[in-house]
Amino acid sequence: AAKAEGGRRVRVFEPDMEERQHQRRWLERELKLAIESGQIALHYQPLFDLTTNAVTGLEALARWHHPERGWISPGEFIPVAEATGLIDALGAYVLRTACTDAMDWPGHPRVAVNISPMQFRSGDLDQLVEQVLRATRLPSRRLELEITESVILSQDRATYDMLTRLRRLGVRFSMDDFGTGYSSLSSLNGFRFDKIKLDQSFVRNLLEKDEAAAIVHVVAELGRTLRITTTAEGVETPEQLARLRASGFSEVQGYLLSRPLPAAAVPRFLLARNDLIAAA
Ligand code: C2E
Ligand code: MG
Ligand code: MG
Ligand code: MG
């Protein structure tokens, strides 16, 4: 009986594993093609200054529309890209495209680009950034690199040297998804960031949970003390916005103010906002 049960388990388990393996290999193959053929598009989500309401920058977010499978979210394809090494090609494509697009933006807001921890491994990220800035002629202070604290927590010499070389180029650093890692505070201790982006999970719980509200206050205070910008992501309601403003956050980003916009819509969006500011 035990043998039969074992046999049955194996039969149930294996096809599932195989199916997942198969799915993953399919995704890897398709992603490679998508990167090479320009099937990955960038959408841009604005960041708003909480005191002036001005758009200070826009974050590039990768979008993949597969001809047969439809939309595939970055939550699905970024991990595959990271696991297969495709992230270097994808990251280079995103950086080049974002900096090129930003050159056409009225009012010259910043462009924020997400950089995967894996891109630090290759050792030539600084050369890529330098080359893209030179080719596109984007001023380096308009480029903001969003990195997660896992980059900092690796704490090896090579990572630290890379961050220092990137800093020398004049780009800005934003710590993404702050508060979700194991040691958020210590990651601020070794390297100077220009901005903290508090993870959207805290914003989501802001009105329901005292803990989240307390953390929001503390992070706002931390930003004031360190004199760095604090940004809250995932702002969806006017109540959340009011609380963040009262706490003294510097910036907000979220569906309430704007969803990520297709690249082609950004110049018009910015022009309309400039009009609003000029008229006010
Ligand atoms: P992230 O960098 O933290 O980006 C914020 C995510 O929150 C985006 O999801 C954005 O569309 C979503 N979001 C913005 N406002 C709201 C809101 O009000 N409510 C809710 N519920 N969500 C909101 P998205 O575009 O699916 O990206 C997910 C993650 O994938 C990003 O998280 C980032 O870590 C990664 N990613 C996206 N594009 C790239 C890329 O080009 N390179 C790398 N390395 N990672 C990327
Ligand atoms: Mg980000
Ligand atoms: Mg984020
Ligand atoms: Mg996030």
Side-chain angles (χ1 to χ4, degrees):
K3 203 176 164 197
E5 198 182 87
R8 198 159 62 232
R9 236 188 252 147
V10 168
R11 272 203 300 279
V12 173
F13 190 54
E14 264 186 349
D16 188 47
M17 284 268 289
E18 254 172 54
E19 176 57 27
R20 249 186 313 182
Q21 276 289 329
H22 181 79
Q23 266 296 319
R24 205 177 168 82
R25 272 197 298 269
W26 179 86
L27 207 61
E28 180 183 347
R29 244 185 352 257
E30 292 297 310
L31 182 58
K32 188 161 187 291
L33 288 173
I35 296 166
E36 287 163 2
S37 65
Q39 246 180 56
I40 310 279
L42 295 187
H43 284 206
Y44 294 97
Q45 188 176 31
L47 295 107
F48 298 85
D49 184 299
L50 260 177
T51 16
T52 64
N53 294 328
V55 174
T56 58
L58 297 100
E59 177 180 7
L61 294 162
R63 294 289 177 266
W64 181 14
H65 189 264
H66 187 274
E68 287 135 38
R69 247 200 67 182
W71 291 103
I72 302 175
S73 83
E76 190 173 349
F77 68 80
I78 296 288
V80 172
E82 288 177 332
T84 56
L86 284 171
I87 192 69
D88 285 316
L90 178 60
Y93 168 80
V94 169
L95 186 69
R96 206 168 282 132
T97 308
C99 291
T100 304
D101 287 349
M103 285 299 285
D104 292 333
W105 291 348
H108 313 298
R110 288 188 200 108
V111 60
V113 176
N114 291 288
I115 304 290
S116 159
M118 299 301 293
Q119 289 176 267
F120 277 79
R121 304 269 169 89
S122 63
D124 56 7
L125 180 62
D126 57 327
Q127 287 164 50
L128 173 71
V129 170
E130 188 175 18
Q131 190 257 320
V132 168
L133 288 173
R134 197 172 340 110
T136 59
R137 302 179 153 272
L138 185 79
S140 59
R141 64 191 151 71
R142 286 187 60 200
L143 177 61
E144 190 161 82
L145 304 180
E146 292 199 3
I147 60 183
T148 54
E149 60 198 33
S150 61
V151 169
I152 303 301
L153 292 176
S154 65
Q155 286 218 340
D156 55 303
R157 187 78 219 172
T159 301
Y160 187 80
D161 288 348
M162 176 59 78
L163 286 166
T164 308
R165 290 204 298 280
L166 284 165
R167 155 131 307 150
R168 263 190 231 122
L169 296 175
V171 301
R172 291 165 50 95
F173 291 94
S174 176
M175 179 172 288
D176 206 357
D177 300 340
F178 185 75
T180 57
Y182 289 106
S183 186
S184 301
L185 287 177
S186 80
S187 60
L188 284 176
N189 202 13
F191 184 79
R192 186 150 185 94
F193 278 80
D194 303 284
K195 181 184 287 190
I196 297 172
K197 279 186 99 172
L198 182 66
D199 190 68
Q200 56 188 53
S201 55
F202 299 100
V203 176
R204 199 174 309 130
N205 292 330
L206 183 54
L207 293 135
E208 292 81 25
K209 297 219 170 77
D210 291 346
E211 291 83 356
I215 289 165
V216 163
H217 274 285
V218 167
V219 171
E221 186 57 39
L222 186 64
R224 279 192 290 273
T225 308
L226 296 176
R227 292 198 177 79
I228 61 182
T229 306
T230 44
T231 304
E233 59 178 31
V235 180
E236 293 182 351
T237 71
E239 292 77 18
Q240 291 168 342
L241 183 66
R243 287 288 204 96
L244 290 160
R245 183 171 274 135
S247 290
F249 256 71
S250 335
E251 281 186 352
V252 284
Q253 184 182 27
Y255 295 166
L256 175 68
L257 297 135
S258 174
R259 296 214 163 226
L261 306 163
V266 172
R268 249 176 298 130
F269 167 83
L270 289 170
L271 276 179
R273 295 212 36 104
N274 283 350
D275 284 345
L276 278 178
I277 290 164

